[in-house]
Amino acid sequence: MAQENHKDIIAAACGCATGSDKGRNAVGVDSAIKDRNIKRLRRIEGQVRGLQRMVQGDRYCADIMIQIASVQEALRAVGRELMRNHLKHCGTAAVRGSEEQAEAMYDKIIDLMYRNVR
C-alpha cells in the first residue's frame, strides 16, 4: 500500500482531514488534556531556556546533563498523553471502521511506538 494512500485510510477512519501532515487535525481532543499538555510544554520551554542559561554560564556539565534528562522525560510524558489520546479517539474509530482502516491504524500505531521508544 502506498504511504499516501495509507495516510488517507487512517485519516478517513478517525475523521482527520486528508492531505499534507500540516492540514490534518486531531479529532476528539479533550480540552482538559489539551490544556495540561500546553502547560507541560510551556514548562518544558522554560526548562530549555534554563538549560541555555546554564550552558552560557559555564555550569557544571553533570548538572546540565541532569536537567537535559528532566526535559527529555517531560517531553516523553507529553508524548505518552498524545499517544493515549490518539489511541482513544483515532485508533478506536479506525478499529471500528473497515478492515483496511483497522490494518492501516495498527501499522501506524506500531510505527509511532517504535519511533518514540528511542
Side-chain angles (χ1 to χ4, degrees), residues 68-104:
I68 288 172
S70 176
V71 169
Q72 289 171 330
E73 184 53 37
L75 285 169
R76 278 191 289 277
V78 172
R80 281 190 301 271
E81 190 75 37
L82 290 170
M83 175 64 92
R84 186 177 196 293
N85 187 73
H86 185 61
L87 290 171
K88 184 176 180 181
H89 296 286
C90 299
T92 299
V95 169
R96 289 181 179 161
S98 71
E99 183 67 27
E100 188 178 27
Q101 291 170 337
E103 288 298 321

Side-chain angles (χ1 to χ4, degrees), residues 5 22 30 42 61 65 79 86 90 99 106 109 118:
N5 188 28
K22 284 185 179 181
D30 182 334
R42 287 185 179 141
C61 295
M65 296 299 294
H86 185 61
C90 299
E99 183 67 27
Y106 298 147
I109 290 168
R118 298 179 205 161

Side-chain angles (χ1 to χ4, degrees), residues 3-118:
Q3 185 67 17
E4 284 305 312
N5 188 28
H6 191 73
K7 286 181 182 179
D8 290 344
I9 291 167
I10 294 170
C14 67
C16 297
T18 59
S20 71
D21 287 343
K22 284 185 179 181
R24 293 189 297 170
N25 293 317
V27 294
V29 177
D30 182 334
S31 62
I33 293 170
K34 184 177 180 178
D35 290 343
R36 248 191 341 261
N37 281 333
I38 293 294
K39 287 177 185 176
R40 283 178 173 165
L41 289 168
R42 287 185 179 141
R43 196 173 319 121
I44 293 166
E45 183 180 21
Q47 287 177 297
V48 171
R49 281 194 301 271
L51 279 168
Q52 291 171 341
R53 287 189 299 273
M54 290 176 80
V55 170
Q56 287 172 337
D58 296 324
R59 293 280 304 269
Y60 183 56
C61 295
D63 291 342
I64 295 170
M65 296 299 294
I66 290 168
Q67 290 305 309
I68 288 172
S70 176
V71 169
Q72 289 171 330
E73 184 53 37
L75 285 169
R76 278 191 289 277
V78 172
R80 281 190 301 271
E81 190 75 37
L82 290 170
M83 175 64 92
R84 186 177 196 293
N85 187 73
H86 185 61
L87 290 171
K88 184 176 180 181
H89 296 286
C90 299
T92 299
V95 169
R96 289 181 179 161
S98 71
E99 183 67 27
E100 188 178 27
Q101 291 170 337
E103 288 298 321
M105 182 55 73
Y106 298 147
D107 292 342
K108 181 65 174 178
I109 290 168
I110 294 297
D111 182 53
L112 284 170
M113 286 175 20
Y114 277 102
R115 284 183 191 204
N116 291 298
V117 169
R118 298 179 205 161

